[in-house]
Amino acid sequence: MNDRKQHVIKMAHQLFIEKGYQATSIQDILEYSGISKGTFYNYFSSKSELLIAIYKTIYKKLQQDRNEILIGQNPSDIEIFIKQIEMQMITNRKHKLITLYEEVMASNDIDLKQYIQRSRLNSLHWLFGRFIDLFGEDKKPYLLDCAIMFTGLLQHNLQYNRMAFESGEQISHVVRYSVNRLVKMVEDVVMDGDQLHKPELLEKWLPGCKKDNRKIIEQLYESTSSLKSVYIKNIKDEKDLEKYTELLDFIQEEIIHTRSPRKYLIESALLTLKQNSANLGQNELQMIDQIVIDLLNIAAENV
Amino acid sequence: MNDRKQHVIKMAHQLFIEKGYQATSIQDILEYSGISKGTFYNYFSSKSELLIAIYKTIYKKLQQDRNEILIGQNPSDIEIFIKQIEMQMITNRKHKLITLYEEVMASNDIDLKQYIQRSRLNSLHWLFGRFIDLFGEDKKPYLLDCAIMFTGLLQHNLQYNRMAFESGEQISHVVRYSVNRLVKMVEDVVMDGDQLHKPELLEKWLPGCKKDNRKIIEQLYESTSSLKSVYIKNIKDEKDLEKYTELLDFIQEEIIHTRSPRKYLIESALLTLKQNSANLGQNELQMIDQIVIDLLNIAAENV
DNA sequence: TATATTTTTATACAAGCGGTATACTAGAAA
DNA sequence: TTTCTAGTATACCGCTTGTATAAAAATATA
């Protein structure tokens, strides 16, 4: 992406955090980032499209970080889960994501609303999957409810904690407290056999969502991550290194975030990696190859 | 209040529900309610003041209804509580209060924001008080946390339930489910001795909030309510009836919703009632008299 | 280096917003 | 009958998002 465009995104992001989305006019952004109106509308078709661009960068980073915490760890370890949630809540606060969410939902921009709605459902879906890791497949019927209630309860706890302690909020304390409540809530709801929403709803809400492939995606993260470190250790030429990481990032991005991944592009990228990286990390490459095949098959089924 | 003004409020309310606050321009309101711009700004100093006026009417009604459910009932009966919550959630949905809340919080109107924030805290305070009724004074240290978490959990459950069933949402079912979770959560949190926020925070958040007088206010509702029905039964002259109910409503309104109630006005209204209502409901009047004295004393302490 | 193409800038413009100001009018009270 | 009040109609202000256009600057190509 254009450096200049990236700069505008960064500046606008700052302004949105400081003053809020609505309160920031396009004129403000133009002045703050030193571009003209023409350039702005050359980059983005509207203010909301700019916001989406900002969201995407934050959210991608968040997913990456979230998965990195899990790499090589036991997914049923609740301490790991707490770390993941903590990290997400800190990101939320840093970027004032909740406020921006609310502002968007209040606006009249349907595209933006849908986008935000989808990303919220994505988070819910992730949480649901993690709950299966934590509490076991057998409790699955109750875990969507628990994911819904946990997000609500956590959000409110954080909100009022912030109100109580202003700047000195204790995110990690609140997260731990909320997770404690969650654990008991799961027990309670399982014991009562009380279900409010069927987990199948998630598939209705997120059509084309990569179903049941979360673990495979986590493996993909793990493999690409370790392959990257192999490259970093062994490749001296900076140009080559940049090239390979770009290829790897592309594969990850394409297969995880694209509705219908472009199969041949991915295969070609993989081939380039295999042929050019001087026999480095052949194991990882083979792993990635297999994972990509699996994921593409699942994607094909979901069409 | 002026009939015409009331009409504008009603029309604007309709528009806000249909299109949302932000999306409704003042021009829309002028056309829809058939008034001119001058008249509008004669009634309201701004669009947000109009919204506050709408809120006030809804919220007052909600409080009234909420207290009426409790009259003559055992406050520790959880079924009564469920009825109260149900009623509030139905009102919320009917008037799209949550959406309007969000829209306001996203706007740049500081007055409006503070007003909304305060009314949310009021709801939390009420919930906290009811939880003391339900679960006992001894659990008080944990009940603010529970109130916070309950609102979060309930709101999310309702939101996703609506998403799942669109128009066929099952508010009463969701409320019951959420209350079940609440009961277990209270047990859990008391057993663990785990506290996140001290209930004293409420007084910091709501300065000048009528502290510990919720029960007395409920008595006031009960007394005025029964006095009204005595009047309705016995007073034939419509003019007189209207006069007395107006006086009673004034007393209630002034003492409950005004920061510093005008003591002499209230006393004069009470005197008028005593002298003119032909010895009807003297018991109730005496009750109200006593309650008013108590409440005024508490208000004086809180200054 | 010279030419062609794209990007960026600086504007003017349109339509709509919330809000103010003012001249005018119909109807009730004095 | 005059005076006062509530309401109307309308022009205006400064702001908003978004479009259009011509000139200028940067970049690519030959």
Side-chain angles (χ1 to χ4, degrees), chain B residues 235-247:
Chain B
I235 297 180
K236 301 283 168 257
D237 185 1
E238 281 211 13
K239 268 257 165 136
D240 278 359
L241 187 59
E242 193 183 334
K243 179 176 159 192
Y244 298 147
T245 31
E246 193 182 298
L247 283 170

Side-chain angles (χ1 to χ4, degrees), chain A residues 126-150:
Chain A
W126 174 83
L127 204 58
F128 173 66
R130 288 294 282 124
F131 282 5
I132 295 176
D133 292 341
L134 289 168
F135 303 109
E137 189 78 25
D138 54 315
K139 309 211 168 59
K140 198 170 168 180
Y142 309 102
L143 294 180
L144 174 58
D145 288 330
C146 290
I148 290 171
M149 290 190 282
F150 178 69

Side-chain angles (χ1 to χ4, degrees), chain B residues 4 35-36 38-39 42-43:
Chain B
R4 201 177 172 81
I35 58 162
S36 77
T39 312
N42 183 25
Y43 290 150

Side-chain angles (χ1 to χ4, degrees), chain A residues 24-37:
Chain A
T24 304
S25 72
I26 290 182
Q27 193 57 43
D28 292 336
I29 299 171
L30 302 185
E31 283 160 21
Y32 196 65
S33 50
I35 58 162
S36 77
K37 208 164 190 175

